[in-house]
């Protein structure tokens, strides 16, 4: 019997396994991943940004874990020789009505303890010569990394600790027994004393398999990107973001320099008709029906209808996408961009139409379910893993419970 079993081999599941192995070196720990490789979904398709924490509500788990995670991720990369770059970013206001929003964001950044500076449009040009704006915020601690490489190191460390890592193992049932729980998979059955659900896009479904009732449903949003042609990469030196719309839960299209030197532009944010739907044509009947029959989705759609329509237009019109990018860099042209990978964000949505704004963990007697850990989940992965490890019952307590 395993002492602790983690479902999901993304960056949160792997960091949790690593933290548990450090805390309980004698425990039998396993990680189950349904895919044939680690970090196959959200982790492996994200923008690779080491976030600063400027956007998040002061006092929230996101704000605290991101601030601390920025530092612990950098230290981890330094320790293990993983390429990273604290290149910094600028957040820019391009219209007069965005100036008050920029000021509010600056105050939030100060409250979160982040090293930032308000700069003029001319000062922005000294950093990013091709940007047109009225004013900006310089965020010094933002960086970039390849999170798949981070996960490869997590896997290596979990293995060294003695953890059992199993790919191609999809959890299909969770049964309660007198000794704990049994995870029935397509690749064997695994008894365990305690389960930590880090299944990302399927976390709500896994929670229900374990007889938990999460207060939100996962709704998948696809983020689509373009990439600057190599000869146009000179247009972007660091990371360039617009002032986010405070009434819309996404950051808007922006420019991200990747650790491999490429420059990605995006993403938009459109409803995906499949939880793992990375292409516009991807469709899964179960996933589609679940969203369409969920009252929370329609309440969200009504509230953000206009913004949602603009996102859909950008999805199907390259010209509209380019127009959004030209707000930041006017000289960008459609011919400068080629399509690149998309990502799908697992966004927890409540029945009342409100998006879950913070990390969401649902507890049951023999399991812990991480039901919302989107961006900045990768940045904060070490902190989230340590927090989960500190919150589960001790092994002695588990033995008494069973």
């Amino acid at each position: 019997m395993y002492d602790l079993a983690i479902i999901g081999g993304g960056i949160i599941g792997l960091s949790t396994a690593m933290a548990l192995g450090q805390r309980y070196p004698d425990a039998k720990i396993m990680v189950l991943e349904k895919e044939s490789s680690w970090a196959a979904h959200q982790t492996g398709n994200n923008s690779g940004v080491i976030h600063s924490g400027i956007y998040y509500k002061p006092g929230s788990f996101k704000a605290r874990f991101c601030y601390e995670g920025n530092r612990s991720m950098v230290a981890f990369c330094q320790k293990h020789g993983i390429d990273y770059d604290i290149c910094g970013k600028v957040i820019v206001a391009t219209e007069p009505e965005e100036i008050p929003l920029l000021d509010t964001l600056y105050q939030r950044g100060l409250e979160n303890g982040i090293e930032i500076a308000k700069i003029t449009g001319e000062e922005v040009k000294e950093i990013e010569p091709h940007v047109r704006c009225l004013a900006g915020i310089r965020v010094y601690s933002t960086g970039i990394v390849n999170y798949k490489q981070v996960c490869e190191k997590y896997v290596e460390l979990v293995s060294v600790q003695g953890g059992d890592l199993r790919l191609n193992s999809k959890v299909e049932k969770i049964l309660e027994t007198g000794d704990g729980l049994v995870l029935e998979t397509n690749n064997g059955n695994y008894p365990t004393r305690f389960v930590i659900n880090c299944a990302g896009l399927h976390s709500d479904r896994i929670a229900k398999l374990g007889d938990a009732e999460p207060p939100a449903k996962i709704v998948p949003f696809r983020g689509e990107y373009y990439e600057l042609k190599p000869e146009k990469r000179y247009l972007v030196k660091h990371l360039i973001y617009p002032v986010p719309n405070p009434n819309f839960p996404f950051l808007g299209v922006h420019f991200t320099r990747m650790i491999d030197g490429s420059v990605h532009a995006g993403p938009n944010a459109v409803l995906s008709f499949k939880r793992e739907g990375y292409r516009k044509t991807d469709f899964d009947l179960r996933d589609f029906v679940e969203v369409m029959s969920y009252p929370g989705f329609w309440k969200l759609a009504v509230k953000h209808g206009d913004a949602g329509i603009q996102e859909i237009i950008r999805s199907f019109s390259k010209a509209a996408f380019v127009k959004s990018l030209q707000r930041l860099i006017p000289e960008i042209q459609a011919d400068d961009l080629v399509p690149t990978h998309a990502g799908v964000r697992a966004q927890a949505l409540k029945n009342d139409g409100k998006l879950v704004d913070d990390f969401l963990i649902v507890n049951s007697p023999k399991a812990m379910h991480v039901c919302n850990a989107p961006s900045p989940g990768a940045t904060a992965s070490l902190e989230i893993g340590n927090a989960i490890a500190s919150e589960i019952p001790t092994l002695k307590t588990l033995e008494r419970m069973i």
Side-chain angles (χ1 to χ4, degrees):
M1 171 178 279
Y2 290 94
D3 295 302
L4 300 157
I6 297 97
I7 302 172
I11 200 166
I12 302 298
L14 292 170
S15 66
T16 298
M18 188 170 62
L20 288 168
Q22 292 167 350
R23 183 174 286 260
Y24 302 117
D26 297 326
K28 288 188 66 178
I29 298 170
M30 76 176 312
V31 183
L32 294 171
E33 166 56 46
K34 70 182 180 66
E35 303 295 351
S36 60
S37 62
W38 306 106
H41 291 294
Q42 290 188 100
T43 305
N45 293 286
N46 69 20
S47 61
V49 176
I50 304 174
H51 289 285
S52 66
I54 189 172
Y55 299 109
Y56 311 120
K57 182 179 178 181
S60 66
F61 286 115
K62 272 189 177 183
R64 179 165 62 87
F65 285 170
C66 188
Y67 177 85
E68 295 168 355
N70 177 286
R71 285 146 183 78
S72 59
M73 181 57 65
V74 169
F76 184 87
C77 292
Q78 290 173 338
K79 180 178 179 179
H80 296 288
I82 298 170
D83 287 341
Y84 75 98
D85 182 12
I86 302 302
C87 55
K89 78 174 179 181
V90 290
I91 303 169
V92 299
T94 58
E95 304 294 340
E97 58 267 24
E98 293 177 341
I99 297 296
L101 300 177
L102 191 73
D103 292 339
T104 299
L105 188 60
Y106 176 74
Q107 291 302 321
R108 173 166 283 194
L110 293 179
E111 288 183 58
N112 285 334
I114 299 161
E115 185 185 2
I116 53 177
K118 287 179 71 173
I119 52 179
T120 66
E122 288 304 310
E123 289 172 322
V124 170
K125 276 191 170 295
E126 293 175 9
I127 304 164
E128 293 287 353
H130 301 278
V131 169
R132 178 196 66 83
C133 69
L134 302 176
I137 298 171
R138 187 170 190 179
V139 186
Y140 295 95
S141 59
T142 301
I144 51 177
V145 72
N146 183 330
Y147 282 116
K148 273 201 167 183
Q149 291 181 2
V150 172
C151 283
E152 288 169 5
K153 181 55 67 171
Y154 286 0
V155 168
E156 179 185 325
L157 294 173
V158 172
S159 181
V160 168
Q161 291 170 349
D164 191 353
L165 295 146
R166 294 181 180 266
L167 295 167
N168 301 302
S169 300
K170 180 181 179 180
V171 175
E172 297 173 338
K173 289 184 180 180
I174 300 177
L175 304 177
E176 186 162 357
T177 69
D179 293 329
L181 299 167
V182 174
L183 302 179
E184 292 191 358
T185 81
N186 62 317
N187 197 23
N189 299 337
Y190 303 100
T192 182
R193 297 182 187 278
F194 197 85
V195 167
I196 302 99
N197 163 18
C198 299
L201 284 158
H202 301 280
S203 56
D204 57 338
R205 290 175 177 170
I206 293 294
K208 288 182 178 179
L209 288 180
D211 291 329
E213 282 299 329
K217 180 181 289 293
I218 295 298
V219 175
F221 286 93
R222 185 174 58 254
E224 298 160 335
Y225 289 85
Y226 285 91
E227 182 179 345
L228 283 181
K229 291 180 178 178
E231 63 269 24
K232 292 292 182 176
R233 291 175 182 173
Y234 71 89
L235 293 171
V236 177
K237 306 292 186 186
H238 308 87
L239 282 70
I240 306 166
Y241 283 63
V243 178
N245 179 349
N247 299 315
F248 194 59
F250 303 101
L251 295 178
V253 293
H254 48 269
F255 293 95
T256 305
R257 180 169 289 281
M258 311 292 281
I259 197 67
D260 64 2
S262 62
V263 177
H264 287 193
N268 61 349
V270 294
L271 177 69
S272 175
F273 295 150
K274 182 179 179 181
R275 291 202 182 194
E276 296 164 5
Y278 300 102
R279 299 169 298 182
K280 292 182 177 71
T281 55
D282 284 344
F283 179 84
D284 181 271
L285 182 60
R286 178 189 178 189
D287 294 348
F288 176 76
V289 170
E290 275 194 9
V291 172
M292 291 298 109
S293 62
Y294 186 51
F297 168 72
W298 293 106
K299 292 170 185 175
L300 177 74
V302 169
K303 182 177 180 181
H304 297 295
D306 291 343
I309 289 170
Q310 292 304 312
E311 297 290 333
I312 293 170
I313 291 171
R314 275 193 287 269
S315 177
F316 289 94
S317 169
K318 185 177 183 180
F321 204 109
V322 171
K323 187 175 180 181
S324 295
L325 296 172
Q326 287 172 335
R327 292 182 59 222
L328 302 173
I329 300 180
E331 63 195 275
I332 288 283
Q333 300 298 317
D335 288 344
D336 301 335
L337 301 161
V338 293
T340 187
H341 75 91
V344 179
R345 171 173 172 159
Q347 178 62 60
L349 177 64
K350 296 179 182 178
N351 194 61
D352 61 5
K354 294 181 180 178
L355 295 171
V356 177
D357 191 43
D358 208 351
F359 299 127
L360 173 64
I361 293 178
V362 177
N363 291 302
S364 59
K366 298 176 184 177
M368 177 183 291
H369 304 278
V370 182
C371 291
N372 195 56
S375 181
T379 301
S381 58
L382 290 164
E383 305 305 317
I384 296 170
N386 285 329
I388 291 172
S390 70
E391 290 295 323
I392 70 161
T394 66
L395 296 184
K396 288 184 178 180
T397 302
L398 284 173
E399 290 169 359
R400 288 198 302 268
M401 289 166 51
I402 291 170

